[in-house]
Amino acid sequence: MPALSMLRRTVPAVALAATAALTLGAAGSSASAAVPTAVSTRVATANSCPTWTVMHNGVNFRTGPSTSYRSIGLLYKWDYGTKVAGSGSWVKLRLSERSKSGLKKGTTAWVHKKYASQCVYMQH
C-alpha cells in the first residue's frame, strides 16, 4: 500500500515540523506559530476519496463482507472501483472498468481492505 506507507512516513515529519515551528514561533514571529494549526488541520481531515485500488494479485471479489461468502472472480493489481459500502475490514466496490480477469465494468462485490488502498486527494 504505497499511499499508506507514504502517509506513515509523512505524518511524523509534519508533527516534527509543527513542533519546530511552535518553538521558533515562541521566540520569534507570530506568523510561524500559525503554520502548525493549518498543517495539523489538513492532516486530521478524513480521507473522503471514493476510489479504491487493488494492490495485490489474485484477490477474491466476494458476494459479502467475509471469507464465508463465495468469490465471483479475482481482482489483480491496479484493478479499481468506487466504494459503495463498507463493513469493518471490508469495502464494497463497483468496478470502474473491466477487470484484468474479465469481470464487467459496474460489477459490485466485496474486497478486504488489506488488499486494496484508498486514493488520497492531493493537498494544495
Side-chain angles (χ1 to χ4, degrees):
M1 291 186 234
L4 184 56
S5 65
M6 176 77 155
L7 182 61
R8 285 184 180 146
R9 287 191 303 262
T10 304
V11 170
V14 169
L16 180 60
T19 303
L22 277 175
T23 304
L24 292 173
S29 93
S30 61
S32 297
V35 173
T37 305
V39 171
S40 60
T41 302
R42 285 188 203 141
V43 171
T45 303
N47 185 7
S48 60
C49 183
T51 304
W52 286 72
T53 303
V54 175
M55 301 306 294
H56 297 271
N57 287 318
V59 176
N60 285 305
F61 204 36
R62 298 186 178 276
T63 58
S66 161
T67 56
S68 62
Y69 289 90
R70 74 177 179 83
S71 175
I72 62 169
L74 298 176
L75 298 177
Y76 290 87
K77 194 168 188 173
W78 308 121
D79 283 333
Y80 66 98
T82 302
K83 180 180 177 180
V84 176
S87 178
S89 300
W90 294 81
V91 61
K92 186 174 187 179
L93 298 179
R94 176 175 291 115
L95 293 178
S96 298
E97 61 182 34
R98 184 181 182 95
S99 75
K100 291 179 180 170
S101 64
L103 294 170
K104 292 181 184 178
K105 174 183 177 179
T107 301
T108 303
W110 295 83
V111 65
H112 196 281
K113 288 179 181 178
K114 71 180 176 183
Y115 301 116
S117 181
Q118 184 178 13
C119 73
V120 177
Y121 288 126
M122 298 300 293
Q123 300 289 331
H124 62 277

